[in-house]
Amino acid sequence: MFENEEPSKMSKIEYEGRLYGLQVELLKWQQHVKETGEQHIVLFEGRDGAGKSGAVKRFMEHINPRSARVVALDKPTEQEGQEWYWQRYVRQFPKAGEITFWDRSWYNRAGVEPVMGFCSSEERNHFLWEAPILEAIWKKGGIRIVKFWFSVSRLEQARRFTEREVNPLKLGKLSVIDANSQRLWDEYSRAKRICFKATNKRSCPWVTIKSDDKRKARVAAMQYVLLVNEYAGKDLANIGDIDSLVLRCE
């Protein structure tokens, strides 16, 4: 299984060197997006504790926030719960010339919601039917979507949750969902398989990233985004080759 393969760890020195070059390329890409009016969604999904928020933070670290932003929605309000499921997500779509980085997304309905009992099987199945259709429509309308699934091993997830409990700077990351992630590990695995089978390659394919090594995961995600987009002055030496043990196109 891809989740259980163990690529070697990336040193801090190598990571910082790679990150610098990649962040330079991200600035070039952002300038291109701004000048051409493109609209981009880069979506980060995956297990709790897989490093999604940290990856988003590194993408945004040097990017100009005037034409890029993070979308990280809280649980739906009572009013939003009565609206069309997609409504609160569509409100956050990128404007012309803007990049949006989504720390979780509409795929809550395919993962955490059914596993935790926040939606019915019927609602989940209806979502899985709608999602590829809507994504195809958005894609045809000019919105470019990259969908990352951050994968983490059970042991590493447990270690990260323990760190959240003892590190005062990470207390804000603790949630009821975290507390159930280990106990419901198999249920989350099943939900992912169902989601991928229903949605993958019907509109926007999934890109899986093994994130037990957060440094390698962040580098691979940046590399992928830069390689699939064209922009002036692209320097392939700055981007480098993607580690096949870290990133896989499903």
Side-chain angles (χ1 to χ4, degrees):
M1 292 291 292
F2 180 77
E3 285 191 359
N4 295 327
E5 294 174 4
E6 294 295 339
S8 60
K9 297 289 185 180
M10 179 178 286
S11 70
K12 184 177 180 180
I13 292 176
E14 181 185 358
Y15 171 64
E16 291 177 347
R18 299 292 297 277
L19 199 61
Y20 176 83
L22 290 166
Q23 289 175 332
V24 167
E25 295 301 307
L26 285 173
L27 287 169
K28 296 178 188 176
W29 173 50
Q30 183 185 27
Q31 185 63 30
H32 168 83
V33 171
K34 185 177 178 180
E35 291 175 353
T36 60
E38 291 178 358
Q39 297 165 270
H40 287 267
I41 290 174
V42 184
L43 183 156
F44 294 77
E45 279 290 348
R47 291 187 186 270
D48 296 300
K52 300 178 294 297
S53 298
V56 170
K57 183 177 179 180
R58 272 50 181 202
F59 267 90
M60 282 291 298
E61 194 166 12
H62 296 287
I63 281 182
N64 190 330
R66 291 188 179 87
S67 57
R69 58 188 167 90
V70 177
V71 180
L73 300 181
D74 204 346
K75 64 181 181 180
T77 64
E78 183 176 348
Q79 178 178 335
E80 288 172 335
Q82 298 174 15
E83 296 173 348
W84 179 47
Y85 176 76
W86 298 91
Q87 194 163 334
R88 75 188 195 120
Y89 296 105
V90 173
R91 289 192 191 107
Q92 299 295 331
F93 272 25
K95 302 184 291 291
E98 186 178 43
I99 304 165
T100 54
F101 298 99
W102 293 61
D103 189 348
R104 290 203 177 277
S105 69
W106 47 90
Y107 279 98
N108 282 332
R109 178 131 297 183
V112 65
E113 288 189 17
V115 171
M116 294 296 296
F118 299 153
C119 76
S120 66
S121 295
E122 183 179 1
E123 288 173 322
R124 189 268 306 275
N125 292 339
H126 186 69
F127 165 84
L128 292 174
W129 174 76
E130 283 186 322
I133 296 171
L134 289 172
E135 288 173 15
I137 292 171
W138 300 333
K139 184 177 178 181
K140 189 172 182 180
I143 297 175
R144 306 183 183 202
I145 304 175
V146 169
K147 299 192 309 193
F148 287 127
W149 183 278
F150 274 56
S151 173
V152 66
S153 68
R154 192 169 190 167
L155 183 63
E156 178 61 15
Q157 184 191 61
R159 188 197 68 77
R160 292 178 186 178
F161 286 165
T162 299
E163 184 180 5
R164 289 180 181 183
E165 292 175 356
V166 300
N167 187 338
L169 295 177
K170 295 190 176 183
L171 288 177
K173 291 188 173 183
L174 285 172
S175 70
V176 175
I177 305 299
D178 291 347
N180 287 282
S181 294
Q182 288 272 297
R183 180 175 63 83
L184 298 172
W185 181 272
D186 292 338
E187 287 81 353
Y188 275 109
S189 296
R190 179 174 178 272
K192 173 194 170 183
R193 290 194 298 269
I194 292 171
C195 174
F196 275 33
K197 183 177 180 180
T199 64
N200 199 37
K201 297 183 179 178
R202 290 178 60 194
S203 55
C204 305
W206 285 99
V207 178
T208 300
I209 295 182
K210 178 170 175 56
S211 64
D212 274 25
D213 183 338
K214 290 183 179 181
R215 293 168 182 168
K216 281 198 168 186
R218 294 164 184 168
V219 165
M222 289 181 182
Q223 288 175 314
Y224 182 85
V225 168
L226 293 167
L227 288 172
V228 298
N229 287 290
E230 293 304 322
Y231 55 92
K234 179 186 283 191
D235 187 340
L236 294 177
N238 271 346
I239 301 172
D241 297 325
I242 296 176
D243 187 337
S244 61
L245 290 180
V246 176
L247 183 147
R248 181 176 68 189
C249 298
E250 299 291 337

